[in-house]
């Protein structure tokens, strides 16, 4: 009998019970530091100034429960102050007079805050109304005086009534071709109605124009599927018609020569020369389309950003991580991985050598969950040290 028991316990099945099996560590890279907890409004963007001031935007076009303010300065670990003022966030006649639906806030190399406004208002049921002239705009704010210094309105031929201006990156070099000498901004139009493309705005003349209208690289991939924390994610406001989201990010290369972009509904990173985008000759659109490059697969991302070492940071929502793309060797590497990472919405690489990013549970919102809001506050702003001494790209 004892011999039989010894033989039984020595079998592979018995040994397996007592063995440790390999498992995912769930973490990688540098430690994350929580910088701010959002208990009030739902954030998307983050911008960090040279002195360390931090600003976020809260787009009611994506979340109609946002009522108090649409742009704020983060004044403490859990406190926020409407910016530049409460009056500008809630003017007489409603937000249409200032920021209807700010999709992003970005601080340029000259340390000015820019607010990109889609000009589209959402009803309480989530229906996104079309924009009228005067709504889609770019607002520049002097951080020293906390006052608006420039407002650029986009004409209906550039920002269509159903456009959704989503993100912007700046190049302030005075010698850029085809500009008035005060720099340009490159903007994504990520409209769910489908007229996607890249908008270019001349900060000196105030003129704006479009390129890459509706080309396959700015459109969602057919049959696209994504999951976060093991759950399938669709745009599903409760009408039984799941549609994949379209938002896409737009980082600028550290030398300003290349614009990178990727729709959320894609795992592919693309690029196009910025000189081609600035051109407005009769054949410039043909040239722009011919110069789009397919670079690599990098996971499913919302926000994208660049540092001074030319690394492209991208969220990877399916792997709870942030990856970096190195254009020098065309490789993708995991930068940081943490179970608290779910939907990395926006990045800001600051002059302090940190990359800041918002985790806002977008995929748990009512518009993705059949009309049921499953988000759990607080939303979080994290930061991590840039590898290799990287910092903010300063094109000026």
């Amino acid at each position: 009998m004892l011999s039989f028991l010894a033989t039984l316990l020595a079998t592979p099945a018995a040994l397996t019970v007592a063995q440790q099996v390999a498992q995912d560590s769930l973490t990688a890279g540098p430690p994350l530091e929580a910088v701010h907890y959002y208990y009030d409004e739902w954030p998307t963007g983050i911008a960090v100034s040279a002195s360390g001031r931090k600003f976020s935007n809260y787009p009611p076009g994506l979340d109609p429960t946002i009522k108090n303010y649409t742009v704020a300065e983060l004044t403490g670990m859990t406190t926020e102050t409407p910016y530049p003022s409460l009056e500008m966030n809630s003017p007489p006649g409603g937000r249409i007079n200032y920021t209807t639906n700010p999709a992003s806030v970005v601080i340029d190399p000259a340390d000015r805050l820019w607010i990109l406004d889609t000009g589209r208002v959402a009803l309480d049921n989530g229906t996104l109304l079309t924009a009228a002239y005067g709504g889609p705009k770019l607002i520049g704010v002097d951080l020293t005086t906390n006052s608006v210094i420039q407002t650029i309105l986009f004409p209906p031929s550039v920002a269509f009534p159903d456009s959704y201006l989503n993100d912007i990156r700046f190049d302030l070099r005075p010698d850029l071709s085809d500009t008035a000498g005060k720099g340009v901004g490159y903007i994504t139009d990520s409209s769910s109605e489908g007229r996607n493309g890249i908008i270019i705005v001349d900060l000196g003349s105030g003129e704006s124009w479009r390129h890459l209208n509706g080309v396959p690289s700015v459109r969602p991939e057919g049959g696209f599927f994504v999951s976060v924390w093991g759950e399938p994610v669709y745009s599903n406001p409760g009408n039984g018609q799941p549609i994949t989201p379209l938002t896409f990010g737009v980082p600028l290369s550290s030398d300003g020569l290349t614009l990178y972009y990727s729709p959320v509904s894609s795992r592919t990173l693309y690029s196009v020369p910025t000189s081609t985008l600035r051109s407005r000759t009769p054949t410039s659109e043909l040239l722009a389309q011919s110069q789009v490059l397919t670079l690599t697969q990098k996971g499913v991302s919302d926000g994208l950003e660049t540092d001074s070492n030319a690394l492209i940071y991208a969220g990877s929502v399916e792997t709870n991580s942030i990856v970096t793309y190195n254009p020098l060797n065309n490789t993708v590497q995991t930068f940081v991985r943490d179970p608290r990472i779910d939907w990395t919405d926006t990045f800001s690489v600051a002059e302090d050598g940190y990359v800041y990013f918002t985790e806002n549970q977008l995929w748990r919102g009512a518009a993705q969950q059949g009309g049921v809001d499953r988000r759990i506050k607080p939303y979080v702003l994290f930061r991590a040290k840039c590898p290799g001494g990287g910092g903010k790209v300063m094109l000026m």
Side-chain angles (χ1 to χ4, degrees), residues 143-188:
L143 294 181
T144 302
T145 62
N146 299 316
S147 59
V148 173
I149 55 174
Q150 187 175 6
T151 300
I152 298 175
L153 304 181
F154 297 102
S157 59
V158 174
F160 307 134
D162 58 0
S163 286
Y164 195 94
L165 311 186
N166 184 66
D167 206 355
I168 184 169
R169 291 297 179 269
F170 294 95
D171 188 340
L172 303 185
R173 291 177 295 169
D175 58 349
L176 289 175
S177 61
D178 300 298
T179 72
K182 293 187 177 181
V184 297
Y186 302 96
I187 301 169
T188 55

Side-chain angles (χ1 to χ4, degrees), residues 15 44 79-80 86 135 195 237 269 286 301-303 318 378:
L15 290 173
T44 56
T79 55
E80 300 148 29
L86 178 61
R195 292 201 279 180
L269 184 66
L286 293 175
S301 311
D302 191 342
E318 293 181 301

Side-chain angles (χ1 to χ4, degrees), residues 11-151:
T11 63
L15 290 173
T16 300
V17 175
Q19 296 298 309
Q20 289 283 346
V21 297
Q23 64 181 14
D24 191 340
S25 67
L26 301 178
T27 60
L32 295 185
E33 179 184 351
V35 178
H36 185 81
Y37 295 105
Y38 300 89
Y39 281 97
D40 194 0
E41 305 291 15
W42 177 76
T44 56
I46 177 62
V48 183
S49 75
S51 64
R53 295 173 68 184
K54 303 172 186 65
F55 305 88
S56 280
N57 65 286
Y58 314 84
L62 295 181
D63 182 358
T65 68
I66 294 172
K67 303 294 184 184
N68 297 321
Y69 45 80
T70 57
V71 178
E73 182 171 1
L74 313 184
T75 53
M77 197 68 181
T78 61
T79 55
E80 300 148 29
T81 301
Y83 190 83
S85 67
L86 178 61
E87 291 74 22
M88 294 191 71
N89 276 258
S90 304
R95 292 195 187 109
I96 190 68
N97 296 325
Y98 172 49
T99 51
T100 309
N101 183 28
S104 89
V105 286
V106 176
I107 291 177
D108 71 13
D111 209 35
R112 301 172 296 187
L113 177 70
W114 293 89
I115 302 166
L116 182 63
D117 189 356
T118 68
R120 300 187 65 180
V121 178
L123 302 178
D124 288 343
N125 66 2
T127 301
L128 192 60
L129 304 181
T130 55
Y133 179 69
K137 54 190 171 291
L138 181 64
I139 303 163
V141 181
D142 185 321
L143 294 181
T144 302
T145 62
N146 299 316
S147 59
V148 173
I149 55 174
Q150 187 175 6
T151 300

Side-chain angles (χ1 to χ4, degrees), residues 336-350:
V336 64
R337 187 160 186 251
D338 191 286
R340 294 170 293 178
I341 293 176
D342 61 291
W343 192 278
T344 307
D345 195 295
T346 303
F347 292 97
S348 177
V349 173

